[in-house]
């Protein structure tokens, strides 16, 4: 029997896994990658350490997706976190589990993950063609029949797996072109928005504190009656607003809230471990001990220096005023700043700067049991280009690997 000829577009996490699975099951697989190398984004992931998955149980894992997590149940039945870890460990890559159940290579190098995938592509006989940009696909009788490359070349195929990634960090190759191909084949694209991204503020204070990291703080985003509370953690000021783990994690929901209501604000609780009463008692103690010192000097014990200077300016307090002279009303102003330093959100960085792309090919048009398009037979879609995105912690890569694996398997096994 003739081997099924499968083309995979995109050599990222999802495309490589799709190609490996399809070739492992006997498919005749060619992987087309538009750049000159595979796994460009994978190499950047986890700050170069690649947080490839997370050991959370299935239900909690699914909750880390901004929506649509349930769509992944079938893909995770085929390849979930344990199986993915086994895949790499059995091929010689030692893994470790860090805080918040994040899984990394023991070597702390994403290149180790890529190296396993490349060896596996070779072992399973996948042909990898670099510099091959897919620009479209041909359909005959409702079924994929060929792909078109940018240079005009046409390659015949029985199945096409689109694994072209999202639309951020376009220098890695994933620039949203895969979604355009899907659109040209009739698919609806849920509007692209940035996910895991920095937020901008109306006020200019962040610029003056650019690069300053605040640890053990808590954030409250609100708009109208809606509130989004963060856990205790870390954030950083940027030239135009706020970023860091707490901000990135909640950014998608905050952007949705901002777009819905046309406004949103953030309050930074700089002392989440203390109630207002405890904070007042602490201030009274500090002010008593440093009665002859200027208030800014004492505030330095509670805040980073750069912030203490700005702080007195924002609440219109003379920084040199002696602590002994601070009135109750001024102390209350200090406390409300420390518990709720408020800024207005004015938007976010663009999609290009998001760690993930939200939106993409509509899931309504993809069969979750196979990843096959419901519109075009023989067309499969996987990875970040479909309307799936998650929190940081290894969830996005697991989704890319799992949907790729399922797409590769289905492409070979479907009739
Ligand atoms: C800085 C950064 C850090 C991250 N860290 C993590 C992390 O630690 N853990 C985690 O879970 N997630 C992380 N992510 C997200 C994760 O990397 C992505 O979700 C994942 O790589 C998506 O895989 P993919 O295969 O769908 O797409 P990609 O990895 O983007 O691969 C798509 C591939 O398709 C190619 N391509 C595009 N268009 C075409 C075309 N027309 N023809 C041929 N080829 C094409 C591209 O060149 C690219 O090689 C991070 C993202 C970023 C930006």
């Amino acid at each position: 029997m003739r081997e099924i000829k499968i083309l995979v577009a995109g050599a990222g996490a999802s495309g490589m896994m799709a190609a490996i699975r399809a070739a492992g099951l006997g498919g005749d697989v060619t992987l087309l990658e538009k750049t000159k190398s595979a796994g460009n984004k994978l190499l950047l992931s986890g700050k170069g350490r690649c947080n490839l998955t997370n050991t959370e149980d299935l239900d909690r894992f699914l909750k880390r997706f901004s929506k649509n997590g349930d769509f992944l149940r079938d893909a995770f039945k085929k390849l979930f976190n344990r199986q993915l870890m086994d895949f790499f460990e059995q091929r010689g890559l030692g893994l470790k589990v860090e805080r918040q159940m994040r899984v990394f290579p023991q070597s702390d190098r994403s290149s180790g993950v890529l190296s396993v995938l490349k060896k596996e592509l070779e072992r399973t006989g996948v042909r990898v063609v670099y510099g091959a940009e897919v620009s479209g696909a041909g359909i005959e009788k409702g079924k994929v029949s060929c792909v078109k490359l940018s240079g005009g070349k046409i390659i015949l195929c029985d199945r096409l797996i689109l694994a072209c990634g999202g639309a951020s960090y376009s220098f890695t190759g994933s620039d949203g072109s895969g979604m355009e191909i899907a659109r040209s084949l009739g698919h609806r694209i849920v509007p692209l928005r940035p996910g895991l991204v920095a937020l901008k503020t109306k006020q200019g204070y962040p610029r003056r504190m650019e690069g300053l990291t605040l640890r053990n703080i808590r954030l409250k985003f609100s708009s109208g009656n809606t509130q989004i509370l963060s856990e205790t953690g870390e954030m950083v000021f940027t030239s135009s607003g706020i970023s860091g783990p707490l901000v990135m994690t909640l950014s998608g929901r905050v952007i949705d809230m901002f777009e819905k209501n046309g406004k949103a604000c953030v309050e930074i609780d700089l002392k989440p471990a203390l109630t207002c009463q405890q904070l007042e008692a602490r201030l009274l103690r500090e002010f008593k001990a440093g009665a002859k010192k200027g208030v800014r000097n004492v505030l330095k014990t509670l805040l980073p220096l750069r912030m203490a200077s700005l702080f007195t300016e924002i609440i219109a307090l003379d920084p040199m005023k002696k602590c002994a002279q601070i009135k109750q009303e001024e102390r209350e102003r200090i406390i409300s700043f420390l518990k709720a330093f408020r800024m207005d959100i004015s938007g976010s960085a663009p999609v290009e700067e998001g760690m993930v792309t939200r939106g993409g090919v509509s899931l309504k048009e993809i069969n979750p049991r196979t990843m096959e398009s419901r519109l075009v037979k023989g067309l499969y879609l996987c990875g970040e280009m479909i309307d799936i995105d998650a929190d940081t912690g290894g969830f996005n890569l697991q989704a890319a690997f799992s949907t790729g694996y399922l797409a590769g398997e289905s492409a070979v096994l479907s009739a």
Side-chain angles (χ1 to χ4, degrees), residues 9-15 32-35 37-42 44-47 50-53 104 132-135 163-166 168-169 172-178 181 354-356 382-385 391 393-398 400:
S14 62
L32 304 166
E33 166 55 44
K34 71 185 241 192
T35 69
S37 50
N40 303 323
K41 196 171 269 182
L42 187 76
L44 288 182
S45 67
K47 297 191 176 139
C50 187
N51 175 197
L52 64 153
T53 185
F104 291 90
E133 182 176 16
V134 174
S135 61
C164 301
S168 68
Y169 284 65
T172 62
S174 33
D175 57 3
S177 64
I181 299 169
M355 266 169 69
V356 283
C382 58
E384 204 181 308
M385 64 175 289
D391 202 351
F395 307 101
N396 287 295
L397 275 171
Q398 176 73 52

Side-chain angles (χ1 to χ4, degrees), residues 156-197:
L156 298 179
C157 65
D158 301 305
R159 314 267 190 273
L160 168 62
I161 301 176
L162 286 179
C164 301
S168 68
Y169 284 65
S170 56
F171 65 90
T172 62
S174 33
D175 57 3
S177 64
M179 284 160 244
E180 287 313 311
I181 299 169
R183 195 199 301 275
S184 73
L185 296 173
H187 277 278
R188 188 173 82 82
I189 307 300
V190 176
L192 306 186
R193 287 106 64 218
L196 304 179
V197 74

Side-chain angles (χ1 to χ4, degrees), residues 3-212:
E3 276 181 340
I4 299 170
K5 195 166 178 202
I6 298 169
L7 297 179
V8 182
S14 62
M16 285 189 279
M17 190 55 99
I20 289 166
R21 183 63 180 154
L25 290 173
D28 170 9
V29 184
T30 304
L31 177 55
L32 304 166
E33 166 55 44
K34 71 185 241 192
T35 69
K36 293 200 162 56
S37 50
N40 303 323
K41 196 171 269 182
L42 187 76
L43 283 176
L44 288 182
S45 67
K47 297 191 176 139
R49 299 200 305 133
C50 187
N51 175 197
L52 64 153
T53 185
N54 192 291
T55 58
E56 284 276 23
D57 65 43
L58 181 63
D59 286 328
R60 288 200 193 159
F61 204 103
L62 292 173
K63 286 203 179 96
R64 304 304 287 269
F65 288 81
S66 67
K67 53 170 186 155
N68 302 334
D70 273 345
F71 177 88
L72 293 167
R73 280 188 189 274
D74 290 293
F76 287 168
K77 256 186 225 153
K78 289 280 175 196
L79 182 93
F80 193 39
N81 47 16
R82 193 59 256 171
Q83 292 88 334
L84 184 68
M85 290 170 73
D86 288 347
F87 174 90
F88 285 104
E89 284 176 332
Q90 283 163 8
R91 287 160 181 82
L93 184 75
L95 299 176
K96 58 180 172 178
V97 183
E98 293 193 354
R99 71 186 169 86
Q100 294 167 341
M101 300 166 141
R102 294 165 187 240
V103 179
F104 291 90
Q106 274 169 10
S107 63
D108 283 326
R109 285 164 193 256
S110 49
S111 54
V113 176
L114 181 58
S115 157
V116 168
L117 292 166
K118 283 168 93 170
K119 278 192 198 137
E120 205 52 20
L121 286 169
E122 203 179 319
R123 191 188 69 76
T124 51
V126 175
R127 277 181 301 279
V128 186
V129 186
Y130 294 107
E133 182 176 16
V134 174
S135 61
I139 302 177
E140 266 176 37
K141 296 182 188 155
K143 194 173 174 306
V144 167
S145 58
C146 65
V147 306
K148 298 167 192 164
L149 299 189
S150 285
K153 193 172 166 187
I154 288 183
I155 312 176
L156 298 179
C157 65
D158 301 305
R159 314 267 190 273
L160 168 62
I161 301 176
L162 286 179
C164 301
S168 68
Y169 284 65
S170 56
F171 65 90
T172 62
S174 33
D175 57 3
S177 64
M179 284 160 244
E180 287 313 311
I181 299 169
R183 195 199 301 275
S184 73
L185 296 173
H187 277 278
R188 188 173 82 82
I189 307 300
V190 176
L192 306 186
R193 287 106 64 218
L196 304 179
V197 74
L199 296 173
K200 293 184 178 172
T201 56
K202 267 192 198 151
Q203 290 78 4
Y205 319 131
R207 175 180 291 279
R208 293 170 57 188
M209 294 183 280
E210 186 178 351
L212 175 68

Side-chain angles (χ1 to χ4, degrees), residues 27 55 69 136 193 228 239 276 340 344-345 349 363:
T55 58
R193 287 106 64 218
I228 304 171
S239 61
C276 290
D344 297 302
I345 301 298
L363 302 183

